[in-house]
């Protein structure tokens, strides 16, 4: 059983910062890609950032220069450092892992339950 668990959400003022960690646990063979998605009220879930297990990262245009994704491969963790937060960043943030549970298993998407980030004064 694989679990992804996010934490670190909360209420922050515009211009503030938050750091979201996510830990993957269970029977994991390899996690080639870990990432973050978000879903704002009344909107579809959107991809925010992703990082490969050799450190290549990508970001949606709206967060470039403000958010930084990183990972600790030894601990199967991914982090999202969010700076200069804006009200438009308000959303539930979901951790995603594209992983396999054994050498012979196919890659699959796994999701956390989400953590709420509210940016408001």
């Amino acid at each position: 059983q694989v679990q992804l668990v996010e934490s670190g959400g909360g209420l922050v003022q515009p211009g503030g910062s938050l750091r979201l960690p996510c830990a993957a646990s269970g029977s994991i063979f390899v996690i080639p890609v870990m990432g973050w998605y978000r879903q704002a009220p009344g909107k579809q879930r959107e991809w925010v950032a992703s990082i490969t297990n050799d450190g290549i990262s990508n970001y949606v245009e709206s967060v470039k220069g403000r958010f930084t994704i990183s990972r600790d491969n030894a601990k199967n963790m991914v982090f999202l450092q969010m700076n200069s937060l804006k009200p438009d960043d308000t959303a539930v943030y979901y951790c995603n892992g594209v992983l396999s549970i054994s050498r012979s298993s196919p890659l699959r998407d796994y999701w956390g339950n989400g953590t709420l980030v509210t940016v408001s004064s």
Side-chain angles (χ1 to χ4, degrees):
Q1 192 80 2
V2 174
Q3 282 191 317
L4 274 69
V5 179
E6 311 95 334
S7 60
L11 174 64
V12 62
Q13 292 188 340
S17 298
L18 278 177
R19 184 172 184 255
L20 306 182
C22 169
S25 62
S27 178
I28 297 171
F29 174 65
V30 65
I31 315 178
V33 183
M34 299 189 82
W36 291 92
Y37 289 69
R38 66 185 180 185
Q39 186 166 18
K43 295 187 178 181
Q44 290 189 330
R45 188 176 299 190
E46 69 166 348
W47 167 75
V48 175
S50 59
I51 185 167
T52 66
N53 55 4
D54 54 3
I56 298 172
S57 58
N58 287 283
Y59 301 89
V60 68
E61 192 65 33
S62 60
V63 308
K64 283 182 180 177
R66 300 188 298 122
F67 291 10
T68 302
I69 190 170
S70 60
R71 63 187 284 177
D72 183 333
N73 291 331
K75 296 181 179 179
N76 287 336
M77 293 190 71
V78 65
F79 307 90
L80 188 66
Q81 176 66 44
M82 305 185 294
N83 299 329
S84 302
L85 282 161
K86 305 174 181 180
D88 282 351
D89 296 317
T90 295
V92 177
Y93 284 72
Y94 296 91
C95 177
N96 168 262
V98 179
L99 63 91
S100 64
I101 60 173
S102 72
R103 187 180 297 276
S104 58
S105 298
L107 293 171
R108 269 192 55 194
D109 275 300
Y110 289 83
W111 296 90
N113 289 328
T115 185
L116 177 62
V117 172
T118 303
V119 185
S120 175
S121 54

